[in-house]
Structures are given as structure tokens and as C-alpha cells.
Amino acid sequence: MQISRKIAAFLIGLAAFMIFEWINLGFNLADGHPTSFYVVHGILVAVNLVLALVLGAIGLRALRGHREARGPK
């Protein structure tokens, strides 16, 4: 299966946005919540960062595949 260049770029952009957004959320969690709140949000942040890395890797591999398919200049 081949992913188009537009979809690959979208995946890379989405991954970058997700990394920025979830790291930002992690730093902006206010103090004073119960421990369970931080555990749940910590798990959400971790899972979404892993998902962002996977999507970014898929997008990068797809773009690299398009470059290799074009061949040397």
C-alpha cells in the first residue's frame, strides 16, 4: 500500500501538533488535584505522544519511499 505525499505530510503535521499540544497540556496541569487526576492525565499524555511518534514515523517512511521511487537525479 502506498500513501500519497499529501497524506504523508498531513501525518507529519498531525504528529508535530499532537506532540506540541500534549506536552503543553502536561506542563499546564494545575496543582491541587487528586493523585488519580494526574495518573489518568499522565497516561493520556504518554499514549498520545507514542501515537504521535508512530504517525510521524509512518509519514516520514512514506515520504522517503516517494523520494526513493523517483530515483537519483
Side-chain angles (χ1 to χ4, degrees):
M1 182 173 136
Q2 189 143 9
I3 298 174
S4 70
R5 290 178 65 202
K6 286 182 183 181
I7 298 296
F10 173 76
L11 289 175
I12 293 169
L14 179 63
F17 173 77
M18 287 176 68
I19 289 170
F20 170 76
E21 187 66 29
W22 283 99
I23 288 177
N24 200 18
L25 173 78
F27 283 121
N28 287 332
L29 290 175
D31 291 334
H33 293 286
T35 304
S36 60
F37 175 85
Y38 294 112
V39 169
V40 168
H41 282 81
I43 291 170
L44 284 172
V45 169
V47 167
N48 278 286
L49 288 176
V50 168
L51 182 61
L53 292 174
V54 169
L55 291 175
I58 291 170
L60 286 174
R61 286 185 67 186
L63 280 181
R64 200 174 314 138
H66 280 286
R67 287 191 187 126
E68 290 173 0
R70 270 194 294 168
K73 290 184 177 183

